[in-house]
């Protein structure tokens, strides 16, 4: 996943830079957002060590289809550890190390003053979470790798090519029930993130 991110980063950034190098005759519709920040699992257990936040990074090519409205494809990886719990009683730290996603996004920009603008965005697409497993009294609860459709909402501000945003990623839970114990292990996959970065190309 990281190799794919790097390949897309260089290729789309090159395309955006090449667009910037052309004489400016009209608004430039194509741009690429790159950035990083901090992600935190949306569900927090009573024990702070059961769920941990971590670094998140993204690349998002966007195209302005009409004035102030962009469509994009967001590729993101959040290095978070979700909480996993057995029948809401016993909590564990996940062995899954990250959440990866590929979303189609729509973003609406609201001009404020000069180069300062606010924006709202939504997205939907695929999320992937690694497999995990917990053991309770010799009984294993293997959580499978999860690929599921989810959604994202964001709000942010940008000044010239720099932006700051916060988003929430809504992802379905992963569950596994052991037939012998009849207990269910549940993993909460949703997360928040705050990110900052730059936009290459596009109109300022």
């Amino acid at each position: 996943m990281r190799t794919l991110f790097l390949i897309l980063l260089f290729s789309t950034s090159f395309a955006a830079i090449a667009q910037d190098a052309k004489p400016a005759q009209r608004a430039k519709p194509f741009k690429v957002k790159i950035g990083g920040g901090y992600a935190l699992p949306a569900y927090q257990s009573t024990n702070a060590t059961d769920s941990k936040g971590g670094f998140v990074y993204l690349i998002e090519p966007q195209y302005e289809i009409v004035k102030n409205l962009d469509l994009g494809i967001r590729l993101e990886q959040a290095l978070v550890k979700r909480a996993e719990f057995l029948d809401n009683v016993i909590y564990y730290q996940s062995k899954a190390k990250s959440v990866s996603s590929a979303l189609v996004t729509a973003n609406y920009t609201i001009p404020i003053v000069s180069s300062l603008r606010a924006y709202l965005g939504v997205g939907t697409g695929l999320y992937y979470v690694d497999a995990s497993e917990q053991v309770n009294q010799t009984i294993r609860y293997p959580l499978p790798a999860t690929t599921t459709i989810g959604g994202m909402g964001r709000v942010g501000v940008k000044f010239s090519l720099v932006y700051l945003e916060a988003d929430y990623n809504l992802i379905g839970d992963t569950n596994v029930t052991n037939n012998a114990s009849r207990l269910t292990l549940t993993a909460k996959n949703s997360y928040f993130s705050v990110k900052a970065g730059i936009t290459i190309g596009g109109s300022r």
Side-chain angles (χ1 to χ4, degrees), residues 119-199:
Y119 61 91
L120 302 172
V122 293
T124 186
L126 293 178
Y127 288 85
Y128 174 83
V129 187
D130 294 332
S132 180
E133 183 180 66
Q134 305 297 347
V135 178
N136 180 51
Q137 295 181 350
T138 73
I139 298 177
R140 296 184 178 275
Y141 298 85
L143 286 168
T146 300
T147 301
T148 185
I149 295 175
M152 178 273 299
R154 62 162 57 131
V155 60
V157 293
K158 52 187 173 182
F159 181 77
S160 187
L161 57 81
V162 179
Y163 72 88
L164 175 67
E165 70 177 35
D167 64 32
Y168 178 74
N169 293 265
L170 179 63
I171 314 168
D173 300 342
T174 304
N175 302 280
V176 63
T177 300
N178 184 278
N179 291 329
S181 68
R182 305 307 301 169
L183 298 179
T184 299
L185 181 68
T186 300
K188 295 289 189 178
N189 296 316
S190 299
Y191 67 93
F192 297 98
S193 73
V194 177
K195 298 181 287 282
I198 62 172
T199 302

Side-chain angles (χ1 to χ4, degrees), residues 64-122:
E64 187 177 33
I65 56 171
V66 296
K67 185 175 177 60
N68 296 328
L69 180 61
D70 301 317
L71 291 183
I73 298 177
R74 192 200 76 176
L75 301 177
E76 179 172 286
Q77 186 172 41
L79 306 178
V80 296
K81 290 208 169 186
R82 65 194 180 188
E84 297 174 359
F85 52 90
L86 195 61
D87 274 20
N88 290 309
V89 176
I90 304 173
Y91 289 79
Y92 302 93
Q93 185 179 117
S94 176
K95 293 179 175 61
K97 293 181 169 44
S98 66
V99 180
S100 303
S101 59
L103 308 181
V104 175
T105 62
N107 301 278
Y108 185 75
T109 300
I110 305 168
I112 299 176
V113 59
S114 185
S115 296
L116 180 64
R117 289 170 286 177
Y119 61 91
L120 302 172
V122 293

Side-chain angles (χ1 to χ4, degrees), residues 7-34:
I7 292 172
L8 288 171
L9 172 62
F10 285 119
S11 60
T12 52
S13 297
F14 177 80
I17 291 171
Q19 176 181 257
D20 270 352
K22 296 179 181 179
Q25 296 180 345
R26 63 182 180 86
K28 303 164 187 173
F30 181 69
K31 57 192 169 188
V32 180
K33 287 177 60 177
I34 56 175

